[in-house]
Amino acid sequence: IGKANWAADAVGRAYGNRGNCLARQGKFQAAISDYNKSIELCPYSVDPVLNRGVAFEGIREYELAIQDYRAVLDVSPSDPAAWNNFGNANAALQNWDVALDAFSKAIAMSNFFSFASVNYATILFQRGSDQEAIREFRKILIKYPSFTDARAALAIALWLTGDRSGAETQWYRVEDSRYADVEWLTETRHWPPRLVQGMKEFRGIVV
C-alpha cells in the first residue's frame, strides 16, 4: 500500500509539473487537464488546485478560478498567494470591494508582497482613493525601484490627477513596451478600467 501511495504521489506531482509548463506556454486547457489528474491523484495537495485557478484565469473563466481559490483558502487560509489570486479573479469581474479585501489580506500575511501591494493600490485608485493609491505606488517603488508595474501605474495615476510633469518623468523610466498596449493591460495584466482609460489618454498625447 505504501508503494502504491508513493507511486500515485509521484505521478500526481508529475502531472502538476507538466501542467505548470503548459500554463507557462499559454496552453491553458491542456494545463487544466493535467491539473485535474494531479488533483485526482493527490487530493491532499493545494498546489494543483491553486495553479488550476491561474489556468482558469488564463481562459477568462473567472468564476471557476474563484472556486479553486476558495477551495485552497478553506484549507490554507493564511496563504498570501491564494488571497492575491482570489483578488485578481474578483478584480477581473469588477468585484472591487472583494478584491481590495483579498489584496489587503495577502499583504498582511506576508512581509511585503509586492504584487499584492500594487494590485491593492490599483483598486484604491479605481475606487477614487487617488492620493492613498499614489502613496502606495511610491512606497512600493522605494523598496523595489525597478518594479515596472508600479511605476507605470504611478505614471498614469499622476497624469489623471493633474501632475503631468511627474507622470512623464515616471513614464520615461518604464522600459517594458507592453504597458503602452491597452489590450495587454486589459486582457492580460487586468488593470482596472480607470487606469486603462488613463493610459489611452496619456499615450494619445505623450509619445
Side-chain angles (χ1 to χ4, degrees), residues 64-188:
L64 292 176
I66 287 169
Q67 289 178 26
D68 274 352
Y69 299 144
R70 284 191 184 278
V72 173
L73 290 167
D74 283 344
V75 298
S76 186
S78 298
D79 185 334
W83 280 113
N84 181 65
N85 292 0
F86 182 69
N88 282 334
N90 274 283
L93 295 174
Q94 300 192 9
N95 298 330
W96 307 126
D97 290 345
V98 176
L100 196 67
D101 180 68
F103 294 138
S104 178
K105 285 183 169 68
I107 295 165
M109 291 172 186
S110 60
N111 183 32
F112 189 87
F113 194 160
S114 57
F115 289 103
S117 297
V118 75
N119 289 335
Y120 178 78
T122 63
I123 303 303
L124 283 176
F125 194 79
Q126 175 65 31
R127 296 179 66 202
S129 299
D130 296 357
Q131 295 308 312
E132 185 180 358
I134 288 170
R135 285 194 298 271
E136 288 295 320
F137 290 134
R138 292 191 187 280
K139 184 168 68 175
I140 295 164
L141 289 168
I142 288 171
K143 192 171 182 67
Y144 298 107
S146 62
F147 194 178
T148 302
D149 196 75
R151 193 169 300 283
L154 174 60
I156 302 308
L158 291 173
W159 179 266
L160 290 173
T161 54
D163 185 354
R164 303 301 171 89
S165 175
E168 292 179 17
T169 297
Q170 295 297 330
W171 178 250
Y172 289 132
R173 296 180 65 183
V174 174
E175 298 179 353
D176 189 336
S177 62
R178 292 177 300 177
Y179 284 88
D181 183 347
V182 294
E183 182 178 355
W184 180 82
L185 288 175
T186 303
E187 300 297 333
T188 302

Side-chain angles (χ1 to χ4, degrees), residues 46-55 68-69 72 79 81-83 85:
V46 300
D47 288 345
V49 182
L50 182 68
N51 293 332
R52 187 176 65 179
V54 176
D68 274 352
Y69 299 144
V72 173
D79 185 334
W83 280 113
N85 292 0

